[in-house]
Amino acid sequence: MMTDEEYIQQAGSKCPFCLSNQVSADRPEADGDYAWAECSCGDCRMQWSDVYTLTGFTPDMEHEKRGRYVR
C-alpha cells in the first residue's frame, strides 16, 4: 500500500492499494474549503476518497475582456 506522499507523487493515477492504473474517480464535490472525489480501482475493487486543498485562484480573463471583471 502507498503512503499519502507516494500517492500524491503519482498524481492519483495509481490505486494506493494494489498499484493498478485502472483508477476511476467521480467528479469532485466541495463543501466550503473542503473538496473530495470518490475513487475506485477496477482491478482490486477498493474504494477511497481523493482530498483536495484550496491553493489559490486564477482570474477568469474572459470576464475581464468583456468589462465584467470586478476589482
Side-chain angles (χ1 to χ4, degrees), residues 2 4-7 20 28 35 39 47 54 61 64:
M2 285 188 205
D4 283 344
E5 292 80 19
E6 292 168 330
Y7 185 70
S20 168
C39 303
Q47 297 179 340
L54 180 63
M61 301 313 283
E64 186 170 331

Side-chain angles (χ1 to χ4, degrees), residues 7-8 33-39 48-54:
Y7 185 70
I8 291 166
D33 63 351
Y34 181 75
W36 68 96
E38 300 298 323
C39 303
W48 64 94
S49 295
D50 279 356
V51 178
Y52 299 91
T53 304
L54 180 63

Side-chain angles (χ1 to χ4, degrees), residues 12-62:
S13 65
K14 292 190 177 192
C15 173
F17 301 98
C18 74
L19 307 180
S20 168
N21 62 358
Q22 298 301 311
V23 172
S24 62
D26 291 345
R27 181 171 253 169
E29 298 182 48
D31 184 9
D33 63 351
Y34 181 75
W36 68 96
E38 300 298 323
C39 303
S40 62
C41 177
D43 286 337
C44 72
R45 305 284 185 220
M46 291 294 288
Q47 297 179 340
W48 64 94
S49 295
D50 279 356
V51 178
Y52 299 91
T53 304
L54 180 63
T55 60
F57 74 98
T58 302
D60 182 349
M61 301 313 283
E62 288 300 313

